[in-house]
Amino acid sequence: MKKFLIVVDMQKDFVDGALGSAEAAAIVPSAVDKIKSFDGEIIVSFDTHEKNYLDTREGKYLPVEHCIKGTDGWKLDENIEKALEGKNYTALEKPTFGSVELPGILSEKSGGEDFTVELIGLCTDICVVSNAMLVKAAFPEADISVDAKCCAGVTPVSHEAALNTMKSCQINIEGV
């Protein structure tokens, strides 16, 4: 059985940059340990915006420039980047919360074998839940989990709400 780890948006702007938080910074060591010890295929998503971000629909609702492609804030947190050194992983740029490409990548990489998916990253209540739900919708019989100790939300309350939503949708919540 194949195993996939999806590392969602562990970028500087979400850890300690434009949209960073103490909660986001606090999960980095756990995420590093998870990445280092994971025995399977890794997919790393990058929230990716262009210079016109503030003119986009998302930019109008969240008027904070972040993860502009090519900027320091778009890059992975340095600890996450170091944890990925020597690991073979697939980078996935996504212009919005969830990647509609992710199910196709999982399908292709699984080669028809059964597989498990574990998600970690930022933010639990936006991008993690969006990607978890896309994967669940595409693969309703797959074992899908989220490691709560390797995730942080915009706020602790919204983090918990997203975990409860995913649990209600039969996504396993680990690390609580």
Side-chain angles (χ1 to χ4, degrees), residues 76-98:
L76 291 174
D77 171 83
E78 65 185 24
N79 299 296
I80 299 297
E81 192 170 3
K82 286 178 187 169
L84 288 164
E85 285 178 5
K87 297 266 187 183
N88 185 17
Y89 67 90
T90 300
L92 171 62
E93 293 181 17
K94 56 182 194 56
T96 189
F97 310 132

Side-chain angles (χ1 to χ4, degrees), residues 46-61:
F46 286 79
D47 193 49
T48 303
H49 301 294
E50 302 298 329
K51 292 179 183 173
N52 71 335
Y53 172 76
L54 294 177
D55 297 325
T56 66
R57 182 175 180 83
E58 180 182 326
K60 290 180 185 350
Y61 284 91

Side-chain angles (χ1 to χ4, degrees), residues 14-171:
F14 289 124
V15 174
D16 58 9
L19 294 171
S21 68
E23 292 85 7
I27 69 154
V28 171
S30 294
V32 164
D33 289 345
K34 175 75 67 177
I35 291 165
K36 284 182 175 180
S37 66
F38 188 75
D39 183 25
E41 295 198 40
I42 300 175
I43 299 169
V44 180
S45 75
F46 286 79
D47 193 49
T48 303
H49 301 294
E50 302 298 329
K51 292 179 183 173
N52 71 335
Y53 172 76
L54 294 177
D55 297 325
T56 66
R57 182 175 180 83
E58 180 182 326
K60 290 180 185 350
Y61 284 91
L62 178 62
V64 178
E65 286 188 344
H66 65 282
C67 298
I68 306 298
K69 188 171 182 172
T71 66
D72 281 344
W74 179 77
K75 296 176 183 172
L76 291 174
D77 171 83
E78 65 185 24
N79 299 296
I80 299 297
E81 192 170 3
K82 286 178 187 169
L84 288 164
E85 285 178 5
K87 297 266 187 183
N88 185 17
Y89 67 90
T90 300
L92 171 62
E93 293 181 17
K94 56 182 194 56
T96 189
F97 310 132
S99 172
V100 295
E101 295 175 32
L102 184 55
I105 291 169
L106 290 168
S107 183
E108 180 184 316
K109 289 188 166 294
S110 70
E113 277 186 56
D114 287 340
F115 60 88
T116 64
V117 176
E118 183 172 12
L119 295 96
I120 64 172
L122 302 168
C123 294
T124 318
D125 47 331
I126 302 173
C127 295
V128 174
V129 68
S130 295
N131 285 289
M133 297 301 282
L134 282 165
V135 172
K136 182 66 177 174
F139 306 103
E141 296 300 318
D143 184 10
I144 302 166
S145 64
V146 171
D147 189 337
K149 73 180 179 306
C150 296
C151 294
V154 173
T155 68
V157 171
S158 62
H159 167 77
E160 287 299 322
L163 293 174
N164 286 331
T165 295
M166 289 184 281
K167 185 176 180 181
S168 293
C169 293
Q170 302 174 0
I171 294 168

